[in-house]
Amino acid sequence: MRILLIEDDPMIGESLEEGLRAENYALDWVRTGGEAQLALRQDIYDLVLLDLGLPERSGLEILRELRAGKRDVPVLIVSARDALPDRVLGLDAGADDYLVKPFGLDELYARVRALLRRRSGRSSSAIVFRGLLLDPARHVVSLDGRTLDLTARQFAVLHALLDPPGHIVSRAQLEEKLYGWNEEVESNTVDVFIHHLRRKLGSDFIKNVRGVGYKLAEADEDAA
Ligand code: CA
């Protein structure tokens, strides 16, 4: 899952960047309204964390423009403006949730998970498919009740394939979900993660869709 963080406060930004990466999200951090607009031209984000008081353009302007362009990416406003009219304005402008600073990181993570699962139409954060269970809240993956030991990147690849299960994900989309701007992507890394996941899940679990990408195989599908 890839998150765009729009925040001009260096301390808050650094703590969110570090914390969300540790939670297995890929994260891009922009510090001005102008940079935010540029970043949002790419439709690659699963979630946006939006501060309201920003240089160049306000968070509300950015949000209104996003929604005017019919973009439905979940937006969580994170702002020190705690007055009721500000919160109402933010939600009415198209934000999905509003968190007032100062906040606890655990609450922010929980709201992020809630928005992501709501977007996928699920009521619980754990995803279950063919005996496989992935729970982003607890960072746990198990297969037939047996806990699997996955690295952060392997977890992120599997999460992308599972949300929703059975849809095809291209290599480029996986790279987008795995790496923020500042991170070097080596050409074959996705294949390496898939290879390791197959070793842990069984070789028939992840299917190659030739020329398109990868998907999780249904029980009656043969992996190619
Ligand atoms: Ca600010």
Side-chain angles (χ1 to χ4, degrees):
M1 299 289 124
R2 185 157 174 174
I3 295 177
L4 179 65
L5 169 63
I6 307 171
E7 172 61 71
D8 63 327
D9 182 300
M11 272 180 47
I12 295 173
E14 274 163 31
S15 106
L16 285 178
E17 181 179 49
E18 186 185 333
L20 286 163
R21 287 202 174 137
E23 292 285 305
N24 297 333
Y25 298 104
L27 188 97
D28 295 332
W29 175 17
V30 296
R31 294 155 178 81
T32 70
E35 286 172 7
Q37 282 182 302
L38 276 179
L40 285 167
R41 281 188 198 158
Q42 295 175 282
D43 200 6
I44 56 174
Y45 296 105
D46 299 292
L47 184 102
V48 176
L49 297 176
L50 179 66
D51 181 25
L52 293 180
L54 293 164
E56 295 168 19
R57 308 208 59 186
S58 77
L60 272 184
E61 282 178 88
I62 293 163
L63 178 58
R64 290 202 175 106
E65 194 174 290
L66 190 70
R67 294 312 188 214
K70 304 277 179 239
R71 302 272 299 283
D72 63 355
V73 57
V75 173
L76 168 55
I77 291 178
V78 184
S79 173
R81 296 181 193 165
D82 62 351
L84 182 61
D86 287 316
R87 286 181 278 146
V88 169
L89 204 61
L91 292 166
D92 280 343
D96 298 276
D97 197 4
Y98 197 112
L99 183 61
V100 173
K101 295 172 184 167
F103 54 86
L105 278 174
D106 284 339
E107 180 175 4
L108 180 122
Y109 300 154
R111 286 176 188 258
V112 164
R113 289 192 297 267
L115 288 174
L116 290 173
R117 76 175 175 248
R118 214 177 294 155
R119 188 188 195 200
S120 312
R122 285 179 288 112
S123 55
S124 115
S125 72
I127 309 174
V128 179
F129 177 77
R130 281 187 66 188
L132 185 67
L133 179 145
L134 179 143
D135 186 349
R138 295 185 299 134
H139 299 268
V140 170
V141 177
S142 66
L143 180 62
D144 299 327
R146 181 173 51 92
T147 302
L148 301 181
D149 191 18
L150 301 189
T151 66
R153 301 283 200 212
Q154 290 165 9
F155 186 96
V157 168
L158 191 58
H159 195 182
L161 288 167
L162 274 166
D163 198 13
H167 78 302
I168 300 172
V169 191
S170 71
R171 182 181 280 106
Q173 285 169 328
L174 284 174
E175 284 174 356
E176 281 169 1
K177 296 213 182 282
L178 287 175
Y179 298 99
W181 293 325
N182 305 327
E183 297 171 276
E184 191 79 22
V185 185
E186 288 172 37
S187 58
N188 64 345
T189 43
V190 165
D191 305 278
V192 173
F193 295 136
I194 295 280
H195 172 76
H196 287 142
L197 281 172
R198 280 180 173 144
R199 284 223 310 240
K200 289 175 181 175
L201 298 171
S203 57
D204 64 343
F205 224 96
I206 301 173
K207 188 176 168 174
N208 281 348
V209 183
R210 206 175 296 280
V212 188
Y214 302 98
K215 61 176 280 195
L216 293 180
E218 303 291 339
D220 53 0
E221 262 180 310
D222 286 330

